[in-house]
Amino acid sequence: MLDGSWMRLESNASFAPSLRGSVGVMPSEEYTSIELSGTDRPGLLSEVCAVLADLGCNVVNAEIWTHNARAAAVVHVTDESTGCAIKDPTHLSTIKDLLCNVLRGDDDLKTANMKLSPPGVTNRGRRLHQIMFADRDYERVGGTGVEGVENKSPRPHVTLFDCIQKEYTVITMRSKDRPKLLFDIICTLTDMQYVVFHGVVKTGRMEAYQEFFIRHVDGLPISSEAERERVAQCLEAAIERRASEGMELELCTEDRVGLLSDITKIFRENSLCIKRAEISTKGGKAIDTFYVTDVTGNAVDPKMIDSICRQIGHTILKVKKHRSNASPPKAPQGTTMGFLFGNLFKARSFQNFKLIRSYS
């Protein structure tokens, strides 16, 4: 057993989820929401940003994930001339056509996807899980990561077995701990139409252990080995997608149209590969976070980063953190719950927490 605090999560056994429910804010007319998915490659984000800038689209905020040679993004843009959502059908059609061409590349064996969606309908992180799940990123490409580069990160350990007496399927997961881990697992199970009836979550020094008793929405446990294998693959992908590797760079400067295109172009020209990105604007300021490696997936040469920071400006682009594949230093006592649940929950608040209602 791991050292740390155990948390038990219970739900009403008669409750069945509805996939029509969503997490997030109400729809907004302030921006146009664009969803993208396609084969990952170095420089892809730079190409997407260049197209948007050329078409007069200002990126208000965005989140970009890559996993298992696939890439997905949810991007919110406004019209450069009006500062509002883009509504002209011709303009929207042009955006879609050009972005699809960029995503498709020269030899994309999978279909590239781009669509416009109502803003604010679903939590952005959850929507990215849904996009990548639909893109079947959980299917391993020869055990490799981006562009055939071997993924050196430790794999999460997911097992499923039957609890015959109670007619449940039991899932156990052991992985490196990180923020929003529980959220990612529950959203994935819910979107796959499983109900969580009981759960136990525990964190050790920097490791998380989760155990859930589930059934399908039809009330039955998982019945076949093929289904068990698919669920395990999907949960491994859910754990890995948001994991941050490489060097964390933070950009903070006055916002302007084309800023993201210029920054990502510099990254591309210096052979940086963006593994994940969070783009936001607030009060006229652009506050962006990038997680970067070199094109082979290895750590970036510090001299290269220093050169890029000088080019952009040391007060604008800063190195925040370097995340390696090695085990991180041990956390101090008394902090074991913070990473898994972020700032939303405290250890003592889980006694009456209704887990299955978390997405409604």
Side-chain angles (χ1 to χ4, degrees):
M1 308 296 288
L2 297 174
D3 294 330
S5 302
W6 280 92
M7 293 293 112
R8 183 170 297 280
L9 314 177
E10 303 285 348
S11 73
N12 185 335
S14 65
F15 183 80
S18 167
L19 296 184
R20 292 189 297 270
S22 62
V23 181
V25 296
M26 295 298 292
S28 167
E29 294 295 323
E30 297 177 356
Y31 49 75
T32 299
S33 183
I34 301 173
E35 299 178 355
L36 309 167
S37 66
T39 299
D40 188 28
R41 66 178 186 274
L44 177 60
L45 178 58
S46 175
E47 295 175 34
V48 168
C49 293
V51 168
L52 291 174
D54 288 344
L55 293 175
C57 301
N58 185 40
V59 178
V60 179
N61 56 68
E63 193 158 354
I64 299 95
W65 290 1
T66 64
H67 177 250
N68 197 25
R70 306 301 293 170
V74 176
V75 185
H76 296 162
V77 302
T78 58
D79 190 307
E80 176 185 358
S81 59
T82 66
C84 300
I86 301 168
K87 297 182 179 179
D88 177 31
T90 302
H91 194 184
L92 292 173
S93 179
T94 301
I95 293 171
K96 182 173 182 178
D97 290 344
L98 292 181
L99 286 179
C100 278
N101 287 337
V102 169
L103 290 167
R104 192 172 297 114
D106 297 328
D107 56 355
D108 191 353
L109 298 180
K110 284 192 174 184
T111 303
N113 293 295
M114 180 276 179
K115 75 174 187 176
L116 304 171
S117 61
V121 172
T122 304
N123 174 278
R124 199 165 59 203
R126 182 174 184 184
R127 186 67 193 124
L128 283 165
H129 278 299
Q130 293 171 340
I131 294 170
M132 299 201 89
F133 174 78
D135 203 27
R136 304 176 73 88
D137 73 310
Y138 52 85
E139 295 179 342
R140 296 276 168 182
V141 184
T144 61
V146 175
E147 293 293 337
V149 177
E150 183 181 356
N151 187 346
K152 296 181 285 295
S153 300
R155 292 273 299 278
H157 185 65
V158 181
T159 59
L160 288 84
F161 58 92
D162 296 326
C163 180
I164 300 174
Q165 298 87 342
K166 300 293 184 179
E167 296 186 342
Y168 292 121
T169 296
V170 182
I171 302 175
T172 64
M173 289 161 284
R174 191 183 298 271
S175 66
K176 186 177 179 180
D177 198 11
R178 61 166 175 78
K180 300 186 180 180
L181 180 59
L182 179 62
F183 174 88
D184 295 336
I185 293 297
I186 297 304
C187 285
T188 298
L189 287 172
T190 300
D191 289 333
M192 293 181 72
Q193 302 190 50
Y194 294 103
V195 181
V196 177
F197 288 84
H198 311 284
V200 176
V201 177
K202 184 185 179 185
T203 58
R205 294 291 186 177
M206 292 298 288
E207 189 177 37
Y209 174 84
Q210 301 176 74
E211 181 179 277
F212 297 127
F213 291 72
I214 70 165
R215 291 179 188 151
H216 196 267
V217 290
D218 60 10
L220 298 175
I222 295 175
S223 57
S224 70
E225 184 59 34
E227 186 179 1
R228 271 190 286 270
E229 188 172 319
R230 181 170 179 267
V231 171
Q233 287 179 330
C234 292
L235 291 176
E236 286 179 4
I239 292 169
E240 292 173 340
R241 287 175 192 137
R242 203 193 294 263
S244 302
E245 297 176 8
M247 187 172 288
E248 180 181 350
L249 303 177
E250 183 181 78
L251 178 85
C252 184
T253 188
E254 294 295 323
D255 188 32
R256 60 175 173 79
V257 176
L259 173 64
L260 191 59
S261 176
D262 293 342
I263 296 298
T264 54
K265 180 182 178 182
I266 292 173
F267 288 174
R268 183 188 67 195
E269 291 174 344
N270 286 275
S271 300
L272 294 189
C273 184
I274 298 173
K275 306 287 285 186
R276 190 163 72 86
E278 298 173 13
I279 311 301
S280 63
T281 57
K282 185 176 182 181
K285 288 274 189 181
I287 305 171
D288 305 339
T289 302
F290 303 94
Y291 300 89
V292 299
T293 66
D294 68 12
V295 291
T296 65
N298 293 317
V300 183
D301 184 347
K303 293 181 180 179
M304 175 66 72
I305 293 297
D306 185 62
S307 173
I308 293 172
C309 288
R310 283 200 307 270
Q311 184 177 351
I312 296 174
H314 281 287
T315 60
I316 296 175
L317 184 67
K318 298 180 180 179
V319 177
K320 295 293 291 183
K321 201 176 297 183
H322 184 269
R323 301 172 185 268
S324 66
N325 293 321
S327 298
K330 292 184 177 181
Q333 291 286 351
T335 62
T336 55
M337 290 304 300
F339 241 5
L340 181 59
F341 302 110
N343 295 321
L344 294 179
F345 308 108
K346 300 298 182 182
R348 295 178 182 176
S349 68
F350 270 79
Q351 292 178 349
N352 298 316
F353 180 60
K354 301 300 183 183
L355 178 63
I356 196 61
R357 301 179 187 274
S358 64
Y359 59 83
S360 59

